[in-house]
Amino acid sequence: MPQIYSQILGTGSALPERATTNNQLADELALRGIETSDEWIRTRTGIEKRYLAERALTTTQLALRASQSALWDAGVSPEEIDLIIVATTTPDMVFPSTACQLQKQLGCKKGGAFDLQAVCAGFIYALTNADALIRTGVYKKALVVGADVMSRIVDWDDRSTCVLFGDGAGAVVLGASDEPGILSASLSADGTLDENVLGCTGYISGGEVFGEPFVRMDGQQVFRMAVSSMAESAQAVLEAAHLGVNDINLYVPHQANLRIMQKVAQKIGIDDSKMVVTVNRHGNTSAASVPLALDNAARHARMKKGDVVLMQAVGAGMAWGSVLVKWTREQDSAE
Ligand code: ACO
């Protein structure tokens, strides 16, 4: 039996309509008695604006738009999809899953559909799972989505977290191939770095909300952990693929904080010019951050056929991981 691999066939993304700049956000927060500034947010995080979902916009709708665009980009019809994985921490309901709602909206019925929850690392976890399932030979074409509406679970009275997040979705179509696209993947977690580091502990029981339904974070611990875990994870995927850091042509890190991204790139030994940066425009979109950045890079023709792309993310759990991909598509023309 020839070895089966998976390749990225297309990418897509979606954002809410309205961008909110730091100055606009500072004005809105001032009305609640919360003080912040464009200067504080920009210098600490690199974020200049973010897209916030209007009340009626759902995670599923964002996932649908990103998926439709990825399918179009790949030249694949919804009927060909036999696996859907949606990474999300902000599903529209407890169940049915966002993946099943997405399947209904896309009008496809073949194969399986499920949600995966690994917070900001969700897309990397989902992509690794989809790759593994395709390699079994059972699935031929997967839709892998990261979609989050974090604005619904941030506490707008907590300035240390609410300025960091944005909403959005990104998707890739993954297809079986006899040549590798995905070269290696590494997933890690350390459950001892629990909700005291980063968490949203709210849950429903008996029709009531218990715990705290808002994001809480020890920012400095997250910062330190993000830097050390990403550097180690990059090493793991490079070793597994028998490649060196100089083989990386494009670096797509989790877009949480520009200072984290630059420190990690420096630690791994990747030049800043190879790094995709969208955190300035999108903020931290959690599971959507990596596929949104990847799609942005594709739209701007940042990768050509044969390029090696490193994607990585870290988030609550804490959970983190990396995927190393050989880009197998012809170069997209820049928008
Ligand atoms: N505007 C103005 N001042 C603020 C704000 C704000 N939005 N938020 C906090 N401050 C104040 C604090 O109250 C504090 O004031 P004090 O000194 O008078 O007490 C001061 O700024 C410094 O606060 P610190 O928390 O020490 O600031 P720090 O330099 O650590 O930066 C930050 C905070 C940006 C959150 C940083 O720790 C960080 O980026 N951590 C990583 C967290 C992250 O990216 N999380 C995303 C989710 S997890 C993930 O995706 C990996």
Side-chain angles (χ1 to χ4, degrees):
M1 270 273 281
Q3 174 85 43
I4 303 168
Y5 300 96
S6 78
Q7 294 187 345
I8 291 179
L9 306 179
T11 64
S13 60
L15 290 164
E17 239 165 65
R18 197 169 68 90
T20 303
T21 64
N22 290 343
N23 280 325
Q24 287 167 329
L25 187 61
D27 288 347
E28 282 170 30
L29 292 175
L31 298 174
R32 307 169 77 101
I34 308 294
E35 199 187 315
T36 189
S37 66
D38 171 56
E39 201 269 335
W40 193 97
I41 302 168
R42 232 173 345 95
T43 53
R44 293 294 215 290
T45 70
I47 298 167
E48 294 162 21
K49 63 178 182 179
R50 76 286 293 138
Y51 290 78
L52 299 174
E54 51 275 24
R55 191 168 277 279
L57 185 64
T58 63
T59 300
T60 307
Q61 285 165 350
L62 282 167
L64 175 67
R65 280 172 39 205
S67 301
Q68 285 169 328
S69 136
L71 287 165
W72 183 86
D73 189 44
V76 167
S77 70
E79 298 77 45
E80 292 175 73
I81 295 293
D82 52 10
L83 176 69
I84 299 177
I85 309 180
V86 177
T88 185
T89 303
T90 51
D92 299 320
M93 50 188 81
V94 175
F95 58 79
S97 68
T98 313
C100 285
Q101 294 177 71
L102 175 63
Q103 192 214 39
K104 176 176 96 173
Q105 303 273 339
L106 283 169
C108 48
K109 281 223 168 107
K110 214 161 54 171
F114 64 95
D115 283 5
L116 185 154
Q117 213 268 41
V119 204
C120 295
F123 177 77
I124 296 293
Y125 268 67
L127 192 57
T128 304
N129 273 277
D131 173 56
L133 287 167
I134 285 178
R135 280 166 186 262
T136 64
V138 176
Y139 301 96
K140 300 280 181 292
K141 287 199 170 59
L143 188 56
V144 187
V145 186
D148 266 314
V149 184
M150 292 300 281
S151 61
R152 306 237 156 100
I153 57 167
V154 298
D155 178 355
W156 290 100
D157 289 324
D158 175 6
R159 67 179 181 172
S160 68
T161 51
C162 72
V163 300
L164 304 177
F165 293 95
D167 304 327
V172 302
V173 176
L174 211 59
S177 167
D178 50 12
E179 300 245 337
I182 293 189
L183 301 171
S184 57
S186 166
L187 301 181
S188 304
D190 181 350
T192 65
L193 298 168
D194 57 15
E195 65 278 10
N196 296 308
V197 179
L198 182 56
C200 175
T201 60
Y203 64 97
I204 54 168
S205 175
E208 275 183 70
V209 178
F210 293 88
E212 221 185 350
F214 294 120
V215 175
R216 297 288 177 232
M217 176 181 78
D218 175 343
Q220 290 180 4
Q221 207 177 335
V222 170
F223 196 113
R224 280 192 298 274
M225 177 56 197
V227 173
S228 60
S229 63
M230 290 296 85
E232 267 175 43
S233 182
Q235 217 43 55
V237 283
L238 283 171
E239 268 171 39
H242 307 292
L243 293 176
V245 68
N246 292 333
D247 294 309
I248 297 171
N249 301 100
L250 197 74
Y251 177 42
V252 188
H254 175 44
Q255 310 281 320
N257 179 317
L258 188 60
R259 282 162 55 222
I260 297 181
M261 292 156 61
Q262 287 168 336
K263 271 204 156 57
V264 176
Q266 191 188 26
K267 227 173 160 184
I268 302 173
I270 300 176
D271 194 84
D272 273 2
S273 62
K274 292 182 177 176
M275 183 162 75
V276 177
V277 178
T278 53
V279 67
N280 55 334
R281 285 169 284 141
H282 300 162
N284 181 351
T285 56
S286 192
S289 114
V290 169
L292 253 168
L294 184 74
D295 184 49
N296 236 262
R299 299 282 78 80
H300 289 92
R302 292 279 304 268
M303 50 281 224
K304 58 184 186 314
K305 196 171 177 176
D307 276 359
V308 173
V309 181
L310 171 64
M311 294 182 259
Q312 41 177 210
V314 52
M318 289 187 77
W320 63 96
S322 301
V323 175
L324 201 61
V325 177
K326 179 169 272 194
W327 203 250
T328 48
R329 298 183 44 144
E330 296 300 333
Q331 186 161 23
D332 293 280
S333 51
E335 263 183 1

